[in-house]
Amino acid sequence: MTALDLSSPVAVVGTGTMGQGIAQVALVAGHPVRLYDAAPGRARAAADAIVARLDRLVEKERLTGADRDAARDRLVPADALGDLADCALVVEAVLERLDVKQELFRELEGIVGEDCLLATNTSSLSVTAIGGALANPGRFVGLHFFNPAPLLPLVEVVSGFATDVTSATRAYETARAWGKTPVACADTPGFIVNRIARPFYAEAFAVYEAQGADPATIDAVLRECGGFRMGAFELTDLIGQDVNESVTHSVWESFFQDVRFTPSLAQRRLVESGRLGRKTGRGWYDYADGAGAAERPEPHTAEPGRTPAYVVAEGDLGPASELLALIREAGIQVREEDEDHGTRLVLPSGGQLALADGQTSVEFRDVVYFDLALDYRRATRIALSASQDTSPGTLAEATGLFQALGKDVSVIGDVPGMIVARTVARIVDLAHDAVAKGVATEEDIDTAMRLGVNYPLGPFEWSRRLGRNWAYALLDDLHLRDPSGRYAPSLALYRHAYASDKRQGGSS
């Protein structure tokens, strides 16, 4: 099954931001496009707005004047749904209400031809439930574009329970012909991106609620250590706290209140107070000037510590092994001791420095934990975690060590799994679980998370880099300390880790 022919008319119903964006994508690709909106005059106003954006593309030399003129001639506002009768594809981008969408598609089904593909751009509702209102749900599919649709490449092509393979394939190939990067997924709450991205927000909020660190520090660690483009607090301020919480709540409810997707009480209070982020002038941060730049506090950065003369490396530090080379380059002696399972540095004070593993500092005699980094060489900030019983000398040496490597240091509370490590582990777990349940392939999940939310690595890229057992071991330790089920590793992740051990000669 191939993409729709460019001579085939495409209709977009709903002319808000997403509707206009989808229409522009189809238009620039070469299709005749019909715009319809139930509110009188909106379709024509939307057409004018799209043409204005095309004019700006010409000014920026991203579109020729001739192509702009041809696209303008192919764009037609529709006065009634009946004007869409000859369309080969109708994409809906109306109010996120199941009854509204079902009624629209029931009406469309009586207007368009039998071979017309019907699609919804819903981000939170069940594609199966919307299509369930149709006499022929086999031709119904989800086409979830990301905002702004003309700029962001990802499109989730969602097959409902009754969607025909031919319909899904045609939708997939059409999105690709439009210059997008489609990924195929089953109809599951949140699809790929909104399902697997939940821990990015949830774990940041959980650290804050546990008084482990303030928003500015957590955001800085996610950016400067984890390699994420934005921190969770600044990103939800950009998205809108109400919008982000609504998606989280929808996924949680759709999974029958699965504890892994539990919404944040702190975010709920923020929404209740009307502090919705940039659009209201205040969210986690203050945007008093209204221009989008927050008057935010600085992240916690430790005062200069004491640079140790040497460290003793027990083992290769696992995912943090590149630190050994950085320490030597900083002129600090590294004495190595062979340890089968060692992942710690012993400091001159006798205290130890260990990569976050899901345990807490208070459990051990004198241990400081450091967080996972995307790239320890390029990271500009490292988080350390210590308990009230940690020796001040050990903490000072740990701080000084990373400062000697050119890093800012943020000391947070005794939070198991810290910030980046627990976030990445949970994302990896949800990704493995999604593959095991037939939601999408590993490749499509990695593509979706990199393009849909700009993650520095896809979950399976992280998993391969960190080792097959890393995420399972960290979450298993976290689950022992928080037996609510939130951190219980999925069966899929357990199988993944166990298969690795078995191949290496391990036993149960």
Side-chain angles (χ1 to χ4, degrees), residues 112-117 136 139:
V112 299
E114 293 183 358
D115 59 347
C116 177
L117 191 62
N136 177 19
R139 61 167 164 175

Side-chain angles (χ1 to χ4, degrees), residues 254-505:
S254 297
F255 277 113
F256 308 104
Q257 300 186 356
D258 186 330
V259 68
R260 295 177 302 166
F261 301 101
T262 301
S264 162
L265 181 58
Q267 188 179 40
R268 174 91 292 264
R269 293 292 179 258
L270 204 66
V271 172
E272 289 174 338
S273 70
R275 297 180 177 183
L276 306 183
R278 293 190 181 189
K279 62 186 176 183
T280 61
R282 189 164 184 180
W284 295 109
Y285 300 113
D286 187 2
Y287 304 85
D289 60 3
E295 292 293 330
R296 71 183 66 178
E298 292 295 318
H300 168 75
T301 301
E303 295 295 325
R306 184 167 66 249
T307 303
Y310 69 90
V311 294
V312 178
E314 295 183 348
D316 63 3
L317 298 188
S321 59
E322 65 182 317
L323 277 177
L324 298 180
L326 298 181
I327 294 170
R328 290 188 178 97
E329 290 169 17
I332 300 171
Q333 183 184 8
V334 176
R335 303 172 184 174
E336 297 190 52
E337 293 185 359
D338 291 333
E339 294 283 344
D340 290 341
H341 304 288
T343 56
R344 300 182 180 215
L345 294 173
V346 180
L347 300 165
S349 63
Q352 297 183 2
L353 187 59
L355 176 63
D357 59 6
Q359 301 182 89
T360 56
S361 181
V362 75
E363 299 172 51
F364 303 98
R365 176 177 168 272
D366 200 11
V367 170
V368 173
Y369 281 103
F370 64 93
D371 210 347
L372 178 70
L374 173 67
D375 183 331
Y376 283 100
R377 182 174 294 277
R378 299 174 67 179
T380 58
R381 181 177 299 272
I382 294 292
L384 301 181
S385 175
S387 76
Q388 66 272 21
D389 296 330
T390 302
S391 161
T394 295
L395 183 57
E397 285 184 337
T399 300
L401 175 65
F402 282 104
Q403 289 171 337
L405 306 185
K407 318 298 183 187
D408 288 328
V409 174
S410 293
V411 179
I412 70 171
D414 191 12
V415 178
M418 301 195 67
I419 298 171
V420 179
R422 71 196 289 177
T423 299
V424 170
R426 288 207 60 216
I427 289 171
V428 167
D429 183 47
L430 289 185
H432 277 280
D433 185 53
V435 169
K437 292 176 178 173
V439 174
T441 65
E442 291 186 8
E443 181 181 4
D444 276 355
I445 287 174
D446 276 353
T447 298
M449 302 313 291
R450 281 188 282 101
L451 298 183
V453 278
N454 290 311
Y455 283 3
L457 294 174
F460 293 97
E461 292 173 317
W462 271 113
S463 186
R464 288 188 290 273
R465 174 183 287 200
L466 297 170
R468 294 175 63 94
N469 191 54
W470 178 85
Y472 175 81
L474 187 144
L475 291 176
D476 194 40
D477 277 336
L478 264 171
H479 177 54
L480 288 174
R481 288 150 185 82
D482 179 359
S484 64
R486 178 188 181 102
Y487 299 104
S490 67
L491 179 58
L493 190 64
Y494 172 79
R495 285 173 170 157
H496 178 75
Y498 176 76
S500 173
D501 286 343
K502 189 173 182 180
R503 280 195 295 272
Q504 295 171 7

Side-chain angles (χ1 to χ4, degrees), residues 44-88:
R44 192 162 300 278
D48 291 341
I50 292 171
V51 171
R53 283 196 290 275
L54 297 181
D55 289 340
R56 289 195 289 274
L57 290 177
V58 173
E59 292 171 3
K60 296 176 181 178
E61 299 184 348
R62 296 177 183 173
L63 189 70
T64 67
D67 286 342
R68 182 268 319 277
D69 294 342
R72 181 180 56 205
D73 293 341
R74 294 194 303 271
L75 182 60
V76 179
D79 295 322
L81 279 178
D83 296 338
L84 313 183
D86 63 338
C87 289

